[in-house]
Amino acid sequence: MVGLIDKLRGEFIDIVEWLDDSRDTIVWRFPRYQNEIKMGAQLVVRESQAAVFVNEGQIADAFTPGTYTLETRNLPVLSTLKGWKYGFNSPFKAEVYFVNTRQFTDLKWGTQNPVIVRDPEFGVVRLRAFGAYATRVADPQKLLRELVGTDPQFRTEEVQEYLRQLIVGRLGSALATAGVPLLDLAAHQDAIGRRLAAVLTEELSDVGIAIPKFVIENISVPPEVEQALDKRTGMGAVGDLDRYTRYQAANALEEAAKNPGGGAGGGIGLGMGMAVGQQVARSMAGGGAPAGAPAAAEPPPLPNQAQWYVGVAGQRQGPFDLGGLAERAGAGTLSAETLVWRAGMAQWQPAGQLPELASVLASVPPPLPPQ
């Protein structure tokens, strides 16, 4: 008889509460099983929690943090659904869902595919980005109705992919409408993040979720754009190009002086030395031109000519420009059968097979008639 009474008592639940020992559970269903909740039971809702009663699939009453004695007077919706009249004090069956309303932080997001935006300086640019965000439940009843359903334990991982897709879908328009040039994006990441948090919160309001914090940790560009930025940075670091050119020429002259027998290198060094000497002479004439004075008019440099190599007796000679080849042709050391090569050719070829050397070979005198 005593055992039967204990069994009957065990079928009635008198304390309904949730002690959360996880860091990723958003919704947890109280394990009622086949037991009934005793009228007059204690409901304990802790800080950062909400409790929602569901009767036969229909959301009834919701409770904010506090301790409650469950009676018909504080269960108005459930009382109406159950049809209790005159304060009928009897056990009842209802599902109780505890909703975690604290912030879930350090959730990661990133773009699997690049986001295409139009930059006023670089044109169409592909951007990749990643960062973190925080989310919390703003409306427990909407969350249960729209996302959770009958899931007994709804975790962040079940909604994280949905949020990531939504974030990536809104990132492109946020960057495009920010009106910030590519070079200034890093300085405006916080402002763009706040704007995205507001946009995402408004869009997720229908499912009861808010995004209180959105952080953009990095925005990256393709390698070719990085190279262009590096070149621009290098040009800015150079500053005065005229001084930089003289500095480079002086270094080349010093290296050429260390290798006086360097053949063509000596000629290059001599040419650079003459150019530097002319520049120094011009700058010293008349005590030097005043700062900001326009430079004397000079013809632009000649376009670079192709450099040719000639094969003679199994040895490579050169490089020669077209004038040098013409001199060899006039001296009889270059003919139509002579093998030549320049940058861009796949292999050595006879000079007579190259149309661009036709004018050079035209200076070769014809053979003498037989005596």
Side-chain angles (χ1 to χ4, degrees):
M1 185 67 178
V2 175
L4 179 60
I5 294 176
D6 292 339
K7 180 179 179 182
L8 291 175
R9 287 178 179 173
E11 291 179 353
F12 301 128
I13 299 172
D14 54 5
I15 297 180
V16 181
E17 64 179 346
W18 177 35
L19 298 175
D20 183 18
D21 58 356
S22 71
R23 299 297 299 170
D24 61 351
T25 302
I26 301 177
V27 178
W28 180 78
R29 185 173 65 191
F30 184 79
R32 183 180 56 80
Y33 301 113
Q34 299 301 320
N35 298 338
E36 294 185 339
I37 300 174
K38 182 174 66 176
M39 188 65 72
Q42 295 293 309
L43 171 66
V44 181
V45 183
R46 289 172 171 79
E47 289 294 338
S48 74
Q49 291 182 355
V52 180
F53 282 70
V54 178
N55 177 63
E56 297 180 356
Q58 186 173 354
I59 293 179
D61 302 286
F63 294 84
T64 56
T67 300
Y68 306 87
T69 299
L70 298 179
E71 299 173 341
T72 55
R73 60 190 178 91
N74 60 16
L75 291 167
V77 179
L78 188 60
S79 299
T80 302
L81 294 175
K82 287 288 185 181
W84 288 315
K85 296 180 180 179
Y86 312 111
F88 183 65
N89 192 14
S90 63
F92 61 92
K93 288 184 178 180
E95 295 177 334
V96 183
Y97 289 87
F98 283 90
V99 180
N100 200 336
T101 58
R102 71 171 179 84
Q103 287 193 30
F104 293 87
T105 59
D106 201 28
L107 300 176
K108 302 297 184 181
W109 66 270
T111 55
Q112 293 181 349
N113 298 313
V115 177
I116 300 177
V117 298
R118 185 182 298 278
D119 184 75
E121 189 169 357
F122 293 92
V124 178
V125 182
R126 293 176 290 112
L127 300 178
R128 292 183 183 272
F130 65 85
Y133 65 96
T135 184
R136 66 176 181 85
V137 178
D139 191 324
Q141 296 188 47
K142 285 184 178 180
L143 179 71
L144 286 172
R145 188 179 295 113
E146 300 296 335
L147 291 182
V148 178
T150 59
D151 191 343
Q153 192 169 18
F154 187 73
R155 297 180 178 273
T156 55
E157 61 186 16
E158 300 180 55
V159 73
Q160 195 165 3
E161 179 60 23
Y162 167 70
L163 294 178
R164 191 198 66 80
Q165 293 176 359
L166 187 64
I167 288 170
V168 174
R170 295 293 174 269
L171 182 63
S173 59
L175 294 176
T177 58
V180 179
L182 177 62
L183 296 178
D184 298 331
L185 279 178
H188 293 79
Q189 287 181 183
D190 288 344
I192 297 173
R194 289 193 296 270
R195 179 182 301 181
L196 274 172
V199 170
L200 294 171
T201 297
E202 182 179 357
E203 184 151 347
L204 290 169
S205 61
D206 292 338
V207 295
I209 295 178
I211 306 295
K213 186 68 173 178
F214 189 89
V215 178
I216 301 175
E217 296 182 18
N218 180 263
I219 300 177
S220 60
V221 296
E224 57 271 19
V225 180
E226 286 187 358
Q227 294 175 4
L229 292 175
D230 290 342
K231 290 181 180 178
R232 177 168 298 185
T233 303
M235 293 295 291
V238 167
D240 191 332
L241 290 180
D242 184 54
R243 292 185 179 180
Y244 181 72
T245 302
R246 291 200 299 269
Y247 172 74
Q248 290 288 79
N251 285 342
L253 182 60
E254 181 179 357
E255 291 298 324
K258 295 178 182 179
N259 186 20
I268 296 175
L270 179 61
M272 285 189 175
M274 294 176 63
V276 172
Q278 292 172 357
Q279 283 190 330
V280 172
R282 286 195 300 269
S283 63
M284 294 181 63
E298 295 182 0
L302 293 173
N304 294 332
Q305 295 187 7
Q307 300 296 306
W308 294 85
Y309 292 88
V310 178
V312 178
Q315 299 293 324
R316 185 185 71 181
Q317 298 182 4
F320 304 99
D321 57 10
L322 291 179
L325 293 181
E327 293 180 1
R328 295 182 64 87
T333 57
L334 176 69
S335 65
E337 291 77 21
T338 303
L339 295 176
V340 295
W341 181 90
R342 63 165 173 77
M345 294 175 57
Q347 57 186 358
W348 293 77
Q349 293 186 26
Q353 297 181 6
L354 300 173
E356 54 194 307
L357 297 183
S359 59
V360 173
L361 296 176
S363 60
V364 179
L368 293 172
Q371 299 293 331

